[in-house]
């Protein structure tokens, strides 16, 4: 395998974790977050500092999971107070704040970012394998949650909090759980990204990247684990395959997002399901 | 033994409107109470206060002797309360079966962690199917709740409320908008609920049905209790009569 292939596959794995974890928050539980990049970045920086300080891979993973979910729970608490549409604005704000904050912090490398992060010692193929294993585990967890009573209650909260409450479901607790789990996984993705690049700077976690993640969720099919995972793979490869897309990422992903919402609101997963039903009928 | 439901001096004001102005009453375990009154009397507001959907400005709410005034709706449901909304609110994107199954699994959903530990739904969906049949909705299990006609949605509300195995059930106009046949089916379902020992508080404008099935009437007017007692005696009270004529309900009151 060439170094290029290894790096593409690693990025795909990381984006799958990010998109699937965002789908838990926005797809399963209906809490629109357009700031997933902030939690991704938090995990990346936490892992970078831990690696520089201790060189311990398990500690870096732990630090990323914990810091990602702590920030996520803080935003989750905010989501208990605001309406869903306002939550979207809040999370965008969190993303801009994160990038703005990191750029001004000398201890986080400021504009220059953090470079020379110690290697994991697994080599590029080893890192890639670890990333793919975590991506597989994330998909498995997502599938499990969607089949469990937690996923069932998430759907209820996403559809109508008031009605959920009349069935004894504490919507607030479930929203916090969705944010806590989803952002912990975003933090994990950040840690894997740090292992992969050994160099991080704030730009990688900006709002545009968060929009791309939301595009993966919507295009894949809101709430569908497999649809979202497939869309994450496709939308990661697209800019690699087509130069134009790479130059106009925001335009292309934003445009795709709007098109899907207008023409096929249930995304890839919905189209596949329709096709499947059509084939079965004929 | 403490009452199933007790209100002490409950009041709430919306801007200039004193929607509920200091209401106290208690409902015994197993009773069937009709809460009536003209439009705007404060019935729905009172039901919402009991259910924790509205915070009263003052007063206390107790369920089976446990003070719940500070608790949210979900916590009260776990204390044995259930309610149906005057304006139906099912999960429209879920099937009828899922709507009821989710209630039937209330033990699993008490906390997210507990919910994460449980996968199996067979027992709950079997129980849900039984409840759906009880309210006369058998055959609609796989339909999306949002696609049901109003009459069936009203019954789905009752099924969802029953699913959480309540000791007290609050029904806000479960007959409104139903035709005669639908209404009598719904009344049958409600009577069956009461026959199982569940305490019922029924808000309803259809006085004919109310007089037929309730054992006690509480009459609200302008947010205050103006009558309380055995249905026939209450309806014979000139004060109650006056309120209804004022509210344009005279013809119903005669029924
Ligand atoms: N959220 C609110 N904001 C302001 N005023 C309200 C609100 N809810 C109810 N009210 C007012 O409080 C009073 C009582 O309303 P409520 O809905 O409790 O009456 P009701 O007895 O249920 O009437 P109906 O028989 O028409 O359902 C009315 O004057 C109503 O306009
Ligand atoms: Mg009302």
């Amino acid at each position: 395998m060439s170094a290029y292939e290894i790096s593409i596959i690693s990025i795909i794995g990381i984006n799958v974790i990010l998109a699937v974890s965002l789908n838990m928050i926005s797809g399963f539980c209906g809490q629109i977050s357009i700031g997933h990049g902030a939690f991704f970045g938090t995990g990346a920086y936490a892992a970078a500092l831990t690696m520089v300080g201790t060189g311990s891979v398990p500690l870096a993973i732990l630090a990323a999971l914990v810091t990602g979910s702590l920030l996520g729970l803080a935003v989750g608490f905010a989501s208990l107070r605001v309406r869903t549409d306002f939550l979207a604005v809040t999370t965008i704000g969190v993303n801009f704040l994160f990038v703005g904050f990191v750029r001004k912090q000398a201890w986080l490398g400021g504009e220059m970012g953090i470079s020379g992060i110690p290697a994991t010692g697994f080599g590029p193929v080893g890192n890639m394998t670890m990333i793919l294993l975590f991506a597989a585990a994330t998909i498995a967890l997502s599938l499990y949650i969607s089949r469990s009573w937690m996923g069932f209650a998430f759907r209820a909260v996403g559809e109508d909090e008031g009605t959920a409450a009349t069935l004894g479901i504490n919507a607030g607790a479930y929203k916090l759980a969705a944010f806590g789990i989803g952002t912990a996984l975003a933090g994990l993705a950040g840690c894997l990204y740090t292992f992969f690049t050994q160099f991080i700077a704030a730009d990688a976690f900006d709002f545009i990247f968060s929009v791309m993640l939301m595009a993966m969720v919507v295009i894949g099919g809101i709430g569908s684990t497999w649809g979202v995972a497939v869309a994450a793979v496709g939308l990661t490869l697209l800019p690699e395959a087509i130069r134009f897309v790479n130059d106009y990422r925001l335009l292309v992903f934003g445009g795709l997002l709007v098109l899907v919402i207008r023409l096929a609101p249930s995304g890839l997963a919905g189209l596949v399901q329709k096709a499947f039903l059509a084939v079965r009928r004929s | 033994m403490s009452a199933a439901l007790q209100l002490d001096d409950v009041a709430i004001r919306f801007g200039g409107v004193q929607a509920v102005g200091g209401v106290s009453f208690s409902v015994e375990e197993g009773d069937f109470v009709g809460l009536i009154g003209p439009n705007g009397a404060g019935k729905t507001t009172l039901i919402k206060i009991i259910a924790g959907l509205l915070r009263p400005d003052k007063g206390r709410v107790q369920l089976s002797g446990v003070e719940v005034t500070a608790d949210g709706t979900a916590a009260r449901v776990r204390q044995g309360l259930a309610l149906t909304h005057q304006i139906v609110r099912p999960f429209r994107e879920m099937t009828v079966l899922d709507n009821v199954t989710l209630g039937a699994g209330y033990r699993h959903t008490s906390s997210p962690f507990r919910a994460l530990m449980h996968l199996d739904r067979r027992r709950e969906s079997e129980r849900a199917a039984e409840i759906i049949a009880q309210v006369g909705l058998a055959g609609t299990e796989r339909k999306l709740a949002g696609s049901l006609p109003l009459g069936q949605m009203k019954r789905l509300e009752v099924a969802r409320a029953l699913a959480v195995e309540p000791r007290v059930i609050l029904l806000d106009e479960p007959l409104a908008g139903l035709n005669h046949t639908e209404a009598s089916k719904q009344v049958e379902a409600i009577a069956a609920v009461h026959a199982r020992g569940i305490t019922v508080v029924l808000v309803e404008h259809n006085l004919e049905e109310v007089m037929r099935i309730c054992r006690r009437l509480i009459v609200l007017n302008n947010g205050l209790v103006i009558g309380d007692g055995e249905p026939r005696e209450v309806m014979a009270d000139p004060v109650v009569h006056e309120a209804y004529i004022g509210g344009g309900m005279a013809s119903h009151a005669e029924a």
Side-chain angles (χ1 to χ4, degrees):
Chain A
M1 230 187 268
S2 73
Y4 176 73
E5 284 163 349
I6 291 171
S7 84
I8 285 286
I9 293 173
S10 300
I11 295 284
I12 285 176
I14 289 166
N15 285 349
V16 165
I17 296 174
L18 287 169
V20 168
S21 63
L22 176 58
N23 184 51
M24 291 178 190
I25 300 170
S26 298
F28 290 175
C29 199
Q31 305 303 301
I32 307 297
S33 169
I34 319 185
H36 213 47
F39 311 109
F40 176 43
T42 303
Y45 275 92
L49 293 179
T50 310
M51 286 304 281
V52 170
T54 70
S56 160
V57 168
L59 270 186
I61 293 175
L62 189 69
L65 282 168
V66 170
T67 53
S69 70
L70 280 182
L71 183 62
L73 287 173
V75 174
F77 266 110
S79 86
L80 302 184
R81 315 213 151 267
V82 300
R83 293 205 326 269
T84 310
D85 45 352
F86 197 70
L87 181 62
V89 179
T90 307
T91 51
I92 292 171
V94 168
N95 207 153
F96 276 105
L97 270 176
F98 173 80
V99 172
F101 174 80
V102 168
R103 281 208 174 115
K104 292 282 172 264
Q105 300 301 309
W107 60 286
L108 296 175
E111 300 275 358
M112 305 293 292
I114 302 177
S115 53
I117 298 165
T120 58
F122 305 148
V125 175
N127 281 340
M128 179 191 75
T129 310
M130 173 168 61
I131 290 169
L132 290 180
L133 287 176
F134 274 118
T138 302
I139 291 175
L141 176 67
S142 176
L143 289 172
Y144 174 84
I145 288 177
S146 71
R147 287 190 179 116
S148 74
W149 281 86
M150 182 188 248
F152 203 179
F154 276 164
R155 276 209 289 150
V157 171
E159 207 184 316
D160 189 333
E161 283 177 40
T163 303
T166 65
L167 295 183
I169 292 169
N170 180 347
Y174 281 89
K175 287 198 225 173
L176 282 179
F179 266 102
I181 298 171
T183 56
L185 290 169
L188 170 68
C191 171
L192 297 172
Y193 178 76
T194 296
F195 291 163
F196 160 71
T197 59
Q198 295 176 251
F199 161 76
I200 57 171
D203 294 347
F205 316 108
D206 63 3
F207 169 64
I208 296 180
F209 185 70
S210 296
V211 171
M212 190 180 85
L213 294 177
M214 187 47 92
M216 290 171 182
V217 170
V218 172
I219 292 168
I222 296 164
S224 159
T225 302
W226 285 116
V228 169
V230 168
V233 175
L235 290 189
T236 308
L237 287 174
L238 201 62
E240 300 298 326
I242 308 172
R243 188 54 208 256
F244 167 83
V245 175
N246 199 19
D247 293 343
Y248 296 91
R249 288 204 327 192
L250 189 58
L251 188 71
V252 172
F253 289 125
L256 272 176
L257 196 72
V258 172
L259 270 181
V260 170
I261 290 174
R262 294 284 308 172
L263 301 177
S266 42
L268 281 180
L271 291 179
V272 169
Q273 198 183 11
K274 259 192 214 150
F276 179 75
L277 286 179
V279 167
R280 223 174 41 173
R281 257 188 231 117
S282 65
Chain B
M1 207 183 79
S2 47
L5 168 67
Q6 179 159 350
L7 304 185
D8 291 303
D9 198 23
V10 169
I12 193 170
R13 168 184 282 280
F14 298 115
V17 182
Q18 188 74 47
V20 175
V23 167
S24 307
F25 60 77
S26 72
V27 177
E28 292 309 313
E29 199 89 42
D31 209 348
F32 196 136
V33 177
L35 183 61
I36 63 168
N39 288 110
K43 305 179 296 293
T44 296
T45 305
L46 194 58
I47 292 287
K48 286 185 172 169
I49 290 172
I50 298 171
L53 297 164
L54 285 172
R55 260 311 115 86
D57 300 333
K58 63 166 187 169
R60 302 198 310 158
V61 181
Q62 285 172 282
L63 290 173
S64 305
V66 180
E67 163 123 28
V68 295
T69 318
D71 294 338
T73 303
R76 295 185 198 201
V77 170
R78 293 190 179 282
Q79 282 288 330
L81 188 76
L83 78 151
T84 67
H85 289 284
Q86 177 170 0
I87 297 162
V88 290
R89 264 174 81 173
F91 297 112
R92 292 173 173 274
E93 305 285 318
M94 290 189 198
T95 63
V96 169
L97 186 66
D98 277 357
N99 263 275
V100 183
T101 303
L102 192 55
Y106 72 98
R107 284 199 188 82
H108 299 327
T109 56
S110 61
S111 81
F113 182 73
R114 204 163 231 260
L116 186 61
M117 294 297 122
H118 288 92
L119 273 182
D120 192 35
R121 290 189 197 172
R122 262 170 305 176
R123 272 228 315 277
E124 290 74 19
S125 56
E126 273 166 27
R127 219 174 74 68
E130 281 169 27
I131 296 170
I132 288 168
Q134 274 167 28
V135 301
L137 284 179
T140 64
E141 290 86 348
R142 308 257 152 240
K143 289 190 183 157
L144 284 186
S147 74
L148 296 181
L150 179 68
Q152 297 191 344
M153 276 204 206
K154 286 263 180 186
R155 271 183 269 162
L156 176 56
E157 284 279 312
V158 176
R160 286 158 33 82
L162 286 178
V164 296
E165 299 185 308
R167 278 175 289 144
V168 180
I169 191 166
L170 312 172
L171 305 167
D172 196 355
E173 302 205 22
L175 307 181
L178 302 191
N179 65 35
H180 198 75
T181 350
E182 288 174 329
S184 53
K185 274 194 210 150
Q186 179 82 313
V187 168
E188 255 171 58
I190 294 168
V193 168
H194 179 241
R196 281 163 45 186
I198 299 173
T199 309
V200 181
V201 177
L202 170 71
V203 174
E204 189 47 64
H205 280 299
N206 186 335
L207 289 183
E208 202 178 323
E209 296 294 357
V210 168
M211 296 294 287
R212 208 157 60 79
I213 54 179
C214 292
R215 299 206 293 203
R216 171 183 170 195
L217 283 189
I218 297 175
V219 189
L220 275 189
N221 192 27
N222 292 324
L224 293 171
V225 175
I226 58 163
D228 184 346
E230 200 277 320
R232 254 153 240 300
E233 285 169 24
V234 168
M235 289 315 290
D237 185 337
V239 177
V240 171
H241 222 83
E242 177 62 26
Y244 265 94
I245 292 163
M249 298 284 295
S251 59
H252 281 290
E254 301 297 338

